[in-house]
């Protein structure tokens, strides 16, 4: 089972560039979410989706966009990259919403120069 | 003040030791409590999940929740080098909140 698959694994961007981080899950989970992980900060929720066509903001949504056109895919877009967005990004999914344990991908390590 | 506080360590113990990892929290609305293990360059994976106060045991792992003190713990018995990882506590009511993680090294 693939579980949650994130691509790319690593990326270096210049300030002002845009890019899309891809996330796909094959567990037919309705709930999907994006987190960023920074040293000393723990995982912080960026955006989440409770199903296709429905998205909402998390704790730190500024500078990021999401869409959910299918159950399987939940891409995260950086509109104009800033050095403060240098982080490790994790996508997660759950069968029972935010209250249930999350299944995580292995992350995308993003550096903004 | 963070909603969830976790000592980042690092914590280093000899093989076979009992490890105690802890988190405190401030939001009394939290009802669901989890521990995740995260190996280097990998995503977090669920270790323990509990809803109520008390203890839950799974093999060498025991999760303890004390809602009156807003304090949760994870105990690892007979620790192994393969337990070397970062351990994250997490809790939620409607939104998930994570601790910063404790880095554990178990030395052979």
């Amino acid at each position: 089972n693939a579980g949650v698959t994130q691509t790319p694994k690593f990326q270096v961007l210049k300030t002002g560039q845009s890019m899309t981080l891809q996330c796909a899950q094959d567990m037919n989970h309705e709930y999907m979410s994006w987190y960023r992980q920074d040293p000393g900060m723990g995982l912080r929720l960026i955006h989440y989706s409770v199903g296709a066509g429905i998205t909402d903001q998390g704790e730190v949504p500024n500078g990021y966009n999401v869409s959910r056109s299918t159950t399987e895919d939940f891409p995260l877009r950086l509109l104009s990259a800033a050095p403060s967005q240098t982080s490790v990004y994790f996508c997660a999914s759950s069968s029972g919403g935010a209250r249930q344990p999350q299944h995580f991908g292995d992350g995308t390590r993003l550096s903004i120069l | 003040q963070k909603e969830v506080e976790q000592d980042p360590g690092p914590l280093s113990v000899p093989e076979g030791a009992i490890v105690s990892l802890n988190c405190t929290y401030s939001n009394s609305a939290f009802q669901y409590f989890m521990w995740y293990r995260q190996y280097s360059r990998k995503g977090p994976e669920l270790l323990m999940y509990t809803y109520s106060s008390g203890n839950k045991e799974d093999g060498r792992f025991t999760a303890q929740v004390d809602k009156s003190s807003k304090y949760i713990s994870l105990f690892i018995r007979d620790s192994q080098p393969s337990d070397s990882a970062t351990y994250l506590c997490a809790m939620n009511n409607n939104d998930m909140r994570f601790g910063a993680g404790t880095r554990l090294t178990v030395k052979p």
Side-chain angles (χ1 to χ4, degrees):
Chain A
N1 288 340
V4 178
T5 302
Q6 292 184 239
T7 55
K9 294 189 185 303
F10 305 93
Q11 186 70 49
V12 178
L13 291 178
K14 294 181 179 179
T15 297
Q17 287 184 317
S18 62
M19 82 160 293
T20 299
L21 279 62
Q22 301 293 341
C23 175
Q25 53 94 5
D26 62 358
M27 297 172 283
N28 202 33
H29 288 169
E30 291 294 330
Y31 184 88
M32 295 186 73
S33 53
W34 276 101
Y35 292 85
R36 59 178 290 172
Q37 186 175 39
D38 301 293
M41 300 293 291
L43 288 157
R44 292 180 293 168
L45 183 65
I46 304 171
H47 284 286
Y48 65 95
S49 169
V50 298
I54 306 169
T55 63
D56 208 345
Q57 296 181 350
E59 190 182 355
V60 288
N62 292 341
Y64 307 95
N65 270 0
V66 292
S67 60
R68 184 94 179 271
S69 56
T70 67
T71 299
E72 294 78 20
D73 300 301
F74 190 43
L76 177 72
R77 296 182 186 85
L78 279 69
L79 307 174
S80 177
S84 61
Q85 294 178 304
T86 293
S87 187
V88 182
Y89 291 86
F90 289 99
C91 178
S93 72
S94 162
S95 61
R99 297 184 178 187
Q100 295 298 313
Q102 308 292 302
H103 297 259
F104 286 88
D106 281 338
T108 294
R109 283 158 181 78
L110 185 61
S111 292
I112 316 293
L113 304 178
Chain B
Q1 182 187 5
K2 295 178 184 177
E3 280 189 285
V4 180
E5 296 280 358
Q6 183 175 9
D7 186 339
L11 183 61
S12 181
V13 301
E15 183 176 354
I18 296 175
V19 176
S20 173
L21 303 167
N22 311 294
C23 288
T24 59
Y25 62 96
S26 58
N27 188 345
S28 58
F30 288 142
Q31 298 183 42
Y32 304 86
F33 303 91
M34 285 146 273
W35 286 94
Y36 287 85
R37 177 176 62 197
Q38 185 176 21
Y39 291 115
S40 180
R41 304 280 182 177
K42 293 291 187 180
E45 56 178 338
L46 182 71
L47 268 181
M48 301 289 283
Y49 174 66
T50 183
Y51 171 73
S52 60
S53 285
N55 293 353
K56 181 177 181 179
E57 190 173 318
D58 184 0
R60 296 185 295 110
F61 299 91
T62 299
Q64 193 173 77
V65 175
D66 182 348
K67 288 186 177 180
S68 63
S69 301
K70 299 189 182 68
Y71 187 87
I72 69 171
S73 300
L74 178 70
F75 298 96
I76 307 174
R77 291 185 299 281
D78 187 26
S79 57
Q80 302 295 309
S82 58
D83 295 328
S84 298
T86 297
Y87 290 80
L88 310 171
C89 64
M91 52 200 74
N92 64 14
N93 187 28
N94 292 312
D95 295 324
M96 190 84 75
R97 292 289 184 265
F98 286 83
T102 299
R103 193 168 190 174
L104 171 68
T105 300
V106 181
K107 295 185 175 181

